[in-house]
Amino acid sequence: MTAATHSSLFPPVPDSADAVLEGLDPEQRAVATALRGPVCVLAGAGTGKTRAITHRIAYGVRAGILQPSSVLAVTFTNRAAGEMRGRLRQLGAQGVQARTFHSAALRQLQFFWPKAIGGSLPRLVDRKIQLVADAAAACRIRLDRGELRDVTAEIEWSKVTRTVPADYPLAAVKAGREAPRDPAEIAQLYSVYEDLKRDRSVIDFEDVLLLTVGILQDRHDIAEQVRAQYQHFVVDEYQDVSPLQQRLLELWLGDRDSLCVVGDASQTIYSFTGATPDHLLDFRTRHPGATVVKLVRDYRSTPQVVRLANGLLAQASGRAADHRLELVSQRPAGPEPVYTEFTDEPAEAEGAARRIRELVGAGVPAAEIAVLFRTNAQSETYEQALADAGVPYQLRGAERFFDRPEVRKAGVALRAAARFGGNDALLDDTVDLPSQVRAVLSGEGWTTEPPAGSGAVRERWESLAALVNLAHDVAVGRPAATLADFVAELDERAGAQHAPTVQGVTLASLHSAKGLEWDVVFLVGVAEGMMPITYAKTDEQIEEERRLLYVGVTRARERLHVSWSLSRTPGGRPGRRPSRFLDGLRPGSTGTVGRAGNAGGGGVERGFTGGPAAAPRRTQRTPARCRVCGRTLTDAGEMKLMRCDGCPSDMDEGLYERLREWRADQARLSGQPAFCVFTDRTLMAIAESAPGDDRELARIPGVGMRKLNRYGADVLAICAGQHPEGEEKGD
């Protein structure tokens, strides 16, 4: 399991500002050098967005354009912030603040509270669920454990959307939320919850943002002090900002426009928490002069995985779908995704475990394999199946690595050895950092060979082995690193919850897998009722489920296994069917070839000269240029036309309309949507070039050999002003 960009742990620090730009592709370089005014980076999965924005900050710092202390980079998880700080340090840009929204706000709140309010900041409660339970008791409302959790989530949503208790019922209806209790009851619980916090002088996680916003709004002197400190902002995962976070960002900025945002509307999967892609999609409206860069070169996944990902989004609808990015794989070809149907859930879990055991036996590291599911409740079946198969695993989203008892004990032992190592006989025969760490951890239960079987003993060994592996990685990057340096590295990682890799298969929900990647991914339970989940009713909710599956698909680098079961239990009624999201994409389903071919478009298929068995050429890094103005093209649709959207078109309007009428007939005959024949962009490209033979038609992105064989004669006849005579050809 790794973070979303595959790179060495400690690369050499670039020796100059220009050296920071080395190795970036043209679009990433455009991001790195766009240091003035508002910048919007639309970055598809696996396109190196973190690399682009960290190199942007580092280039600005190393070139003397940005002062490190004046830059604030914000993201959504401690892990992501820790990774960003580590990358900036390795690029020679020390001193830049990289924090979560909450961490940055809490730091400011603690500093300014005495001046703005007086006294000390109220205590921050880690878990609000007990306060909600107390509020329910005060209201004489009985809530079970599930209802407590759901009501707590509603209160959190209300606060990040800046909804007060009295407005909750109307706001919930307007947002299409299915309240777990009567909305009036939730409003009452919310109100009493806020009263209890005031009575007990405590604040919650959302209050950190609300109070910071309140102080910056009311105290212009404090707002100006913050703005004098931070003059340049970078926001990662901008599609996930809530209205409250957006308001805080606006107050940080003031009337300035030194802002760079990075996001992908197609990866919006947290709307239930108040996140909305609207701020990302409206960025150019709010900032008409913004520089917009689209990253579509996928360095993570094979063309086969990318084709499926593009196919999922090609069938999407809604505003986010209108702004989808069509990924272009930069990797050599790999195996096609494997689709498997099972009779029941235990059989599906056993099948996955059996295949995983084969992969591990063939040399695939267990840490490079993941099993991803829609809900955490699905985990238990796979835990049991992997344990029965003798495959080590780890649960993501369960107990945090640095909170594990064996990790805490190991930290104490390593810290003591670093302080008093000269008097420790354990270290007498050690010669470097890895041998020192192995010697210390041998006293905590680590051995050169893992214990037999699974369970708690194996899990403890896996934790210690992860620390041993990390010591080796640190030594590779910093040969002179000492035990004290290693302890400092652990402390920094613990603060950021940046856990080292544990050598076990990862079990994770699709939501918790965001931002990670593996060589092999098993997407399990991809059936109606689970994907999309049963309670997803509205069009917006269904589309978010589709995006969640897209996130799961794009976690895979090389191999992807997709499975579903026909019933929940052995012997149960086989009433389930594969997810509707796979229709037209998995073999044997309606419209498979048309939809998958269309989704790949000119991007994914570029570099192929024949059918699926043809060897792929490396995709050229040379940027496509507009044939009218010469500007570099990054948008997949513009690259298909080979001109900017704003440049004049020499399209034959009459030919375009005849092609559209013909396409409608073909779609009706085949029972597929019109875009499965040819997209509007492809028809426009045909109408602009008016090809006269097969070779000219085949050169148009979006045609390809299959469609050339199927539709070529008709299209060429229409371009020649003739009536197409043939009916639709079979596959």
Side-chain angles (χ1 to χ4, degrees):
M1 178 183 71
T2 66
T5 299
H6 218 34
S7 61
S8 59
L9 187 63
F10 295 109
V13 177
D15 58 9
S16 67
D18 287 342
V20 171
L21 302 178
E22 292 177 2
L24 300 181
D25 68 29
E27 294 77 38
Q28 292 171 343
R29 182 180 285 254
V31 173
T33 54
L35 297 172
R36 305 293 185 190
V39 178
C40 179
V41 182
L42 302 177
T47 57
K49 68 178 179 64
T50 306
R51 176 179 174 83
I53 59 176
T54 51
H55 280 68
R56 178 182 187 271
I57 295 170
Y59 177 71
V61 169
R62 299 290 297 274
I65 299 171
L66 303 177
Q67 292 300 315
S69 61
S70 72
V71 180
L72 177 60
V74 288
T75 186
F76 283 81
T77 66
N78 286 322
R79 180 189 178 89
E83 181 187 354
M84 192 177 292
R85 286 194 295 271
R87 291 195 187 202
L88 289 170
R89 185 170 61 245
Q90 288 302 315
L91 290 170
Q94 293 91 341
V96 173
Q97 292 292 314
R99 297 180 175 274
T100 64
F101 270 100
H102 284 86
S103 172
L106 180 60
R107 196 164 183 242
Q108 293 173 17
L109 194 61
Q110 290 169 329
F111 184 81
F112 290 112
W113 185 271
K115 179 178 179 180
I117 309 299
S120 58
L121 182 69
R123 180 175 62 87
L124 178 64
V125 293
D126 293 331
R127 300 176 69 249
K128 58 174 69 68
I129 200 162
Q130 184 57 53
L131 272 170
V132 176
D134 293 345
C139 296
R140 300 183 182 276
I141 296 175
R142 293 179 61 86
L143 300 176
D144 61 29
R145 181 177 298 180
E147 288 175 320
L148 263 176
R149 185 179 61 248
D150 292 343
V151 169
T152 301
E154 289 304 293
I155 291 174
E156 290 173 348
W157 173 81
S158 299
K159 299 184 78 166
V160 300
T161 56
R162 308 177 76 190
T163 302
V164 298
D167 294 341
Y168 170 79
L170 182 60
V173 171
K174 186 176 180 181
R177 295 184 75 83
E178 291 191 12
R181 302 279 297 203
D182 180 85
E185 279 188 339
I186 294 180
Q188 181 186 7
L189 288 167
Y190 179 13
S191 179
V192 174
Y193 167 83
E194 291 296 311
D195 291 340
L196 285 176
K197 284 200 293 100
R198 279 190 292 272
D199 293 344
R200 299 177 186 182
S201 296
V202 296
I203 60 175
D204 63 24
F205 206 49
E206 290 71 41
D207 288 333
V208 171
L209 300 184
L210 283 164
L211 291 169
T212 306
V213 165
I215 288 174
L216 295 179
Q217 284 181 160
D218 296 342
R219 291 291 300 268
H220 297 293
D221 57 329
I222 292 177
E224 288 306 316
Q225 192 172 341
V226 171
R227 291 167 193 160
Q229 169 69 51
Y230 297 116
Q231 299 171 19
H232 189 87
F233 296 86
V234 177
V235 184
D236 194 12
E237 303 287 4
Y238 193 55
Q239 77 278 354
D240 289 333
V241 295
S242 68
L244 180 56
Q245 289 165 330
Q246 175 63 22
R247 180 57 184 149
L248 178 58
L249 179 61
E250 290 167 355
L251 289 166
W252 281 340
L253 270 170
D255 59 1
R256 299 166 300 175
D257 63 0
S258 188
L259 171 67
C260 174
V261 301
V262 189
D264 179 9
S266 296
Q267 296 188 67
T268 304
I269 59 173
Y270 300 111
S271 67
F272 61 92
T273 67
T276 170
D278 289 346
H279 305 300
L280 175 67
L281 298 178
D282 292 337
F283 191 83
R284 280 176 285 188
T285 302
R286 297 195 313 275
H287 304 280
T291 298
V292 179
V293 183
K294 297 180 181 180
L295 304 182
V296 297
R297 302 175 195 251
D298 187 328
Y299 298 97
R300 176 189 301 160
S301 304
T302 63
Q304 287 73 17
V305 173
V306 167
R307 186 180 299 118
L308 175 57
N310 284 335
L312 283 170
L313 293 187
Q315 302 180 61
S317 61
R319 193 173 181 217
D322 292 340
H323 294 78
R324 74 184 181 95
L325 298 168
E326 190 167 14
L327 301 176
V328 183
S329 176
Q330 306 296 297
R331 297 196 58 184
E336 291 290 340
V338 176
Y339 301 87
T340 312
E341 184 175 276
F342 293 91
T343 56
D344 52 65
E345 287 184 9
E348 185 179 2
E350 290 165 9
R354 186 166 54 250
R355 181 62 184 131
I356 289 170
R357 185 173 58 189
E358 293 171 356
L359 289 167
V360 172
V364 178
E368 289 296 350
I369 304 173
V371 179
L372 307 182
F373 32 74
R374 176 61 181 83
T375 68
N376 287 318
Q378 295 168 269
S379 172
E380 185 177 355
T381 305
Y382 289 89
E383 291 178 58
Q384 187 61 54
L386 290 171
D388 291 345
V391 176
Y393 66 86
Q394 61 167 330
L395 282 173
R396 179 161 179 81
E399 183 181 35
R400 297 193 294 188
F401 180 84
F402 290 102
D403 291 339
R404 297 175 186 176
E406 66 271 18
V407 175
R408 290 202 302 269
K409 283 187 63 182
V412 171
L414 289 165
R415 191 168 283 103
R419 188 175 304 163
F420 307 112
N423 300 318
D424 193 335
L426 270 176
L427 303 182
D428 285 349
D429 297 325
T430 60
V431 295
D432 56 12
L433 176 61
S435 61
Q436 290 175 336
V437 172
R438 288 194 297 268
V440 173
L441 296 187
S442 64
E444 301 299 320
W446 179 81
T447 56
T448 54
E449 295 296 326
S454 57
V457 173
R458 178 62 183 247
E459 289 177 11
R460 285 195 293 272
W461 185 90
E462 295 285 358
S463 297
L464 298 178
L467 295 176
V468 170
N469 292 335
L470 179 62
H472 178 268
D473 289 341
V474 170
V476 169
R478 295 153 59 190
T482 65
L483 201 53
D485 294 329
F486 183 67
V487 169
E489 175 76 18
L490 289 180
D491 288 342
E492 182 172 339
R493 283 172 168 262
Q497 286 302 321
H498 184 186
T501 300
V502 174
Q503 293 302 314
V505 173
T506 299
L507 297 178
S509 71
L510 287 166
H511 282 101
S512 64
K514 176 80 162 58
L516 301 173
E517 62 184 55
W518 296 266
D519 284 346
V520 187
V521 168
F522 287 76
L523 289 175
V524 300
V526 189
E528 285 293 304
M530 194 61 72
M531 181 59 67
I533 199 78
T534 305
Y535 52 75
K537 304 293 186 185
T538 66
D539 290 344
E540 291 81 4
Q541 291 168 339
I542 295 294
E543 287 306 314
E544 181 149 340
E545 293 288 299
R546 186 193 305 277
R547 294 194 295 270
L548 190 57
L549 183 58
Y550 170 80
V551 166
V553 167
T554 55
R555 300 310 94 195
R557 294 194 199 103
E558 297 172 3
R559 304 183 190 205
L560 181 64
H561 295 257
V562 183
S563 64
W564 60 90
S565 55
L566 299 177
S567 67
R568 183 170 181 272
T569 57
R573 185 174 66 85
R576 291 177 173 175
R577 63 174 294 268
S579 169
R580 71 190 74 171
F581 300 145
L582 299 178
D583 290 348
L585 298 174
R586 62 183 175 86
S589 61
T590 304
T592 298
V593 176
R595 292 186 184 182
N598 174 72
V604 172
E605 298 295 334
R606 191 169 56 186
F608 283 77
T609 57
R617 295 195 304 267
R618 294 288 294 178
T619 302
Q620 295 298 312
R621 296 285 184 90
T622 304
R625 297 190 180 279
C626 173
R627 54 189 168 84
V628 179
C629 70
R631 184 181 71 84
T632 299
L633 302 177
T634 58
D635 178 79
E638 291 182 338
M639 287 190 282
K640 187 171 287 187
L641 295 175
M642 290 306 293
R643 65 171 175 81
C644 306
D645 277 336
C647 285
S649 167
D650 52 1
M651 182 177 68
D652 182 331
E653 297 286 350
L655 174 57
Y656 179 64
E657 289 305 317
R658 290 194 298 276
L659 288 168
R660 283 174 58 88
E661 291 171 5
W662 166 83
R663 182 182 65 174
D665 290 340
Q666 295 298 317
R668 187 166 53 254
L669 286 170
S670 62
Q672 298 176 355
F675 69 78
C676 292
V677 180
F678 285 119
T679 64
D680 286 346
R681 289 274 188 175
T682 300
L683 290 188
M684 290 174 66
I686 293 172
E688 288 188 356
S689 61
D693 56 34
D694 285 354
R695 181 174 297 180
E696 292 178 2
L697 179 58
R699 282 202 294 262
I700 296 174
V703 177
M705 292 303 298
R706 185 187 61 79
K707 292 192 177 183
L708 180 66
N709 293 332
R710 190 173 189 180
Y711 302 124
D714 284 0
V715 171
L716 290 173
I718 295 170
C719 290
Q722 302 167 2
H723 183 76
E725 296 179 0
E727 295 295 325
E728 180 189 44
K729 299 179 178 62
D731 290 336

